[in-house]
């Protein structure tokens, strides 16, 4: 009995992730420079209530671009992790550089993601750099949702952008929205899963979302596209195929579950659209992140080695600590070491082993980065992404672990295909 309105009810996870793990999403926003990643990140933080003042890229007040050099150069050089809450879920956004010169840093951020939103420009479609980042994400087995941005721009064309995804990137695009209006007149989308319209009203960027029935003039087109979506999903997903054959259609619940499975197995890519700049399409994107992308409990245990022996660490708060430092930055707060905790629990004051250097370090403070604020927490556990104060020598890429259970983490392997319809 899956929800029939998938974009308002948190989806259940295929493997029934334990405890709070299931409500965490560690995701990256992957994009070609200029596709709108910074703007989208800002709008996400705004939609999730994490920031009250909307940052604008052009006035240098954005929250994710911490580094002044980065603001000056107008490109996102340094990855930063930032958190917010959406529908009872914690979203940790790991910013990945879109510039080709920072491929190593992209690789490192991809290691700590469980899923990603790939942003495309609705005018340009797939660009060379979006293609290379996409391939990197493939290598790391990162499940993705595609967001075709800038639908308000002159020349924006969702169908053409989807055609370029189909032609140039591997998994089949599964388009779950039909835009309402073109270019300047882009005001909403028909959600093809729930078969209802979402319309954004108000002045530019104000973006209040309102649910409405599908506009009569779009009913036929929406019906046709829903059918295409069902056919594409049935072709890829055995459970959906069976229902499609016996019922002649797919119920919204089946469609949601199948889209989730296909996203997580990497066999399909859900495509949504909008305009980050005008704040249109952000809420349904966040709903899709929660519904389709995996939680830390949905991905396989991380692997590591020590003294030549392979080890696995489950995403279990009670297991020995295993964390990966993926970013070290100097800020007003001091040296911050961003870590992804894969296994175990890290408490303030703990001593951890930097296995590569063979040195122990003491964790003075643990911070959650909530938009532009750092919130000190007494502990953090498997699945979390936090910043540590007090780590003096560990570099990005270092494994930090419990001194009694040493290991060096390997890049996480691709998720197993999960094919099930509840
Ligand atoms: P990034 O390089 O991917 O981080 O891209 P930015 O977020 O900095 O955006 C690049 C430019 O595109 C900026 O001038 C934004 O104002 C503009 N932009 C971003 N999103 C949209 C959108 O939805 N519509 C339009 N028309 N412009 C946008």
């Amino acid at each position: 009995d899956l929800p029939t309105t998938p974009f308002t009810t948190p989806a259940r996870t295929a493997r029934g992730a334990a405890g709070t793990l299931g409500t965490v999403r560690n995701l990256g926003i992957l994009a070609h420079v200029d596709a709108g990643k910074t703007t989208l990140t800002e709008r996400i933080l705004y939609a999730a209530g994490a920031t009250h003042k909307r940052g604008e890229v052009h006035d240098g007040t954005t929250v994710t671009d911490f580094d002044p050099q980065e603001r000056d150069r107008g490109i996102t050089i340094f990855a930063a992790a930032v958190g917010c809450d959406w529908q009872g879920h914690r979203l940790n956004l790991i910013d990945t550089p879109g510039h080709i010169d920072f491929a190593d840093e992209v690789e490192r951020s991809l290691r700590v993601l469980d899923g990603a939103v790939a942003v495309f420009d609705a005018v340009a479609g797939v660009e060379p750099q979006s293609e290379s980042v996409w391939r990197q994400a493939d290598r790391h087995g990162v499940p993705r949702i595609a967001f075709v941005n800038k639908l308000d721009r002159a020349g924006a064309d969702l169908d053409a952008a989807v055609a370029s995804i189909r032609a140039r990137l591997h998994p089949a695009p599964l388009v779950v929205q039909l835009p309402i209006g073109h270019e300047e007149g882009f005001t909403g989308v028909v959600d093809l899963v729930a078969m209802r319209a979402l319309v954004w009203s108000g002045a530019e960027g104000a973006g209040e979302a309102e649910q409405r029935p599908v506009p009569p003039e779009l009913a036929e087109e929406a019906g046709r596209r829903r059918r295409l979506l069902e056919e594409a999903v049935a072709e890829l997903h055995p459970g959906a195929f069976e229902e499609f054959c016996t019922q002649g259609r797919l119920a919204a619940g089946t469609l949601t579950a199948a889209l989730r499975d296909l996203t997580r197995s990497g066999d399909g890519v859900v495509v949504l659209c909008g305009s980050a700049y005008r704040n249109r399409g952000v809420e349904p994107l966040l709903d899709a992140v929660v519904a389709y992308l995996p939680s830390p409990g949905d991905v396989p245990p991380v692997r590591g080695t020590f003294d030549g022996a392979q080890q696995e660490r489950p995403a279990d708060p009670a297991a020995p600590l295993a964390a990966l430092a993926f970013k070290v930055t100097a800020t007003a707060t001091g040296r911050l070491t961003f870590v992804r905790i894969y296994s175990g629990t890290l408490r303030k004051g703990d001593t951890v082993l930097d296995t590569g250097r063979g040195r122990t370090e003491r964790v003075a403070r643990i911070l959650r980065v909530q938009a532009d604020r750092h919130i000190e927490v007494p502990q953090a556990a498997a699945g979390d992404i936090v910043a540590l104060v007090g780590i003096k020598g560990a570099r990005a890429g270092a494994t930090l672990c419990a001194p009694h259970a040493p290991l060096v983490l390997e890049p996480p392997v691709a998720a197993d295909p999960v094919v099930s319809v509840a």
Side-chain angles (χ1 to χ4, degrees):
D1 59 333
L2 275 143
T4 50
T5 52
F7 285 166
T8 52
T9 315
R12 276 157 241 187
T13 55
R15 294 183 195 178
T20 55
L21 269 183
T23 63
V24 175
R25 297 291 181 277
N26 294 318
L27 68 140
I29 299 185
L30 311 177
H32 183 276
V33 171
D34 249 25
K37 185 176 63 178
T38 310
T39 310
L40 180 62
T41 305
E42 285 301 320
R43 298 307 191 251
I44 288 173
L45 295 177
Y46 181 77
T51 49
H52 299 293
K53 183 171 68 99
R54 186 119 32 95
E56 296 295 347
V57 175
H58 57 257
D59 67 13
T61 59
T62 60
V63 170
T64 43
D65 289 355
F66 285 120
D67 193 281
Q69 187 198 2
E70 185 170 359
R71 289 182 192 176
D72 292 347
R73 292 175 57 173
I75 55 170
T76 307
I77 301 174
F78 297 108
V82 70
C84 62
D85 299 306
W86 182 254
Q87 308 282 1
H89 288 67
R90 165 133 191 118
L91 311 184
N92 291 314
L93 306 178
I94 298 104
D95 194 15
T96 53
H99 200 276
I100 202 74
D101 291 352
F102 302 96
D104 281 356
E105 197 159 323
V106 177
E107 289 278 342
R108 225 165 24 234
S109 357
L110 287 173
R111 282 183 68 176
V112 303
L113 306 176
D114 299 315
V117 172
V119 184
F120 299 94
D121 181 320
V123 179
V126 176
E127 294 168 90
Q129 276 175 38
S130 21
E131 217 172 322
S132 54
V133 175
W134 188 271
R135 308 247 177 272
Q136 280 178 312
D138 277 343
R139 280 202 296 283
H140 288 270
V142 176
R144 267 149 286 167
I145 289 174
F147 183 73
V148 178
N149 188 33
K150 305 198 185 183
L151 233 63
D152 61 313
R153 271 185 70 188
D157 185 340
L158 175 63
D159 290 342
V162 169
S164 77
I165 293 173
R166 193 185 304 280
R168 294 173 64 179
L169 307 177
H170 159 60
L174 302 164
V175 184
V176 298
Q177 293 173 334
L178 167 65
I180 302 175
H182 304 286
E183 302 176 349
E184 280 281 312
F186 167 68
T187 52
V189 293
V190 176
D191 171 345
L192 297 173
V193 178
M195 283 309 254
R196 64 164 185 218
L198 260 181
V199 177
W200 290 276
S201 56
E204 181 175 300
E208 284 290 292
E210 197 188 306
Q211 280 184 37
R212 296 197 194 148
V214 177
E217 67 278 13
L218 286 179
E220 201 185 318
E221 183 62 10
R224 194 179 70 81
R225 290 186 183 230
R226 162 67 177 245
R227 187 79 192 167
L228 285 175
L229 175 63
E230 291 183 12
E231 283 169 8
V233 166
E235 198 172 301
L236 294 167
H237 191 286
F241 179 76
E242 207 179 307
E243 182 171 316
F244 193 71
C245 290
T246 53
Q247 315 282 317
R249 56 183 287 274
L250 290 182
T254 314
L255 199 47
T256 306
L259 288 169
R260 178 198 64 203
D261 290 348
L262 294 171
T263 302
R264 294 180 183 183
S265 66
D267 293 328
V269 170
V270 168
V271 180
L272 298 98
C273 64
S275 163
Y277 182 73
R278 290 181 194 240
N279 208 19
R280 294 181 174 165
V282 179
E283 305 93 336
L285 175 65
L286 294 181
D287 288 341
V289 161
V290 164
Y292 304 134
L293 292 181
S295 79
D298 295 317
V299 296
V302 74
R303 285 202 212 152
T305 50
F306 192 70
D307 272 349
Q310 283 245 345
Q311 302 183 27
E312 276 195 354
R313 291 286 166 86
D316 176 357
L321 178 76
L324 183 78
F326 64 94
K327 176 79 195 173
V328 178
T329 59
T331 70
T333 319
R335 184 183 154 107
L336 286 185
T337 305
F338 285 88
V339 296
R340 156 80 192 247
I341 303 177
Y342 287 98
S343 178
T345 300
L346 182 63
R347 291 176 189 82
K348 178 182 169 147
D350 275 358
T351 296
V352 295
L353 175 68
D354 173 354
T355 323
R357 286 165 55 242
R359 302 278 283 272
T360 55
E361 300 242 27
R362 192 172 161 277
V363 177
R365 294 161 69 203
I366 304 173
L367 306 176
R368 259 183 210 302
V369 182
Q370 185 82 4
D372 50 353
R373 287 173 294 278
H374 295 159
I375 299 165
E376 187 162 354
V377 292
Q379 62 176 55
D384 261 330
I385 288 187
V386 286
L388 308 181
V389 180
I391 305 292
K392 296 191 181 81
R395 302 222 183 101
T399 299
L400 300 177
C401 60
H404 70 274
L407 88 167
V408 175
L409 291 170
E410 287 175 355
V413 292
D416 296 335
V418 180
V419 178
S420 67
V421 168

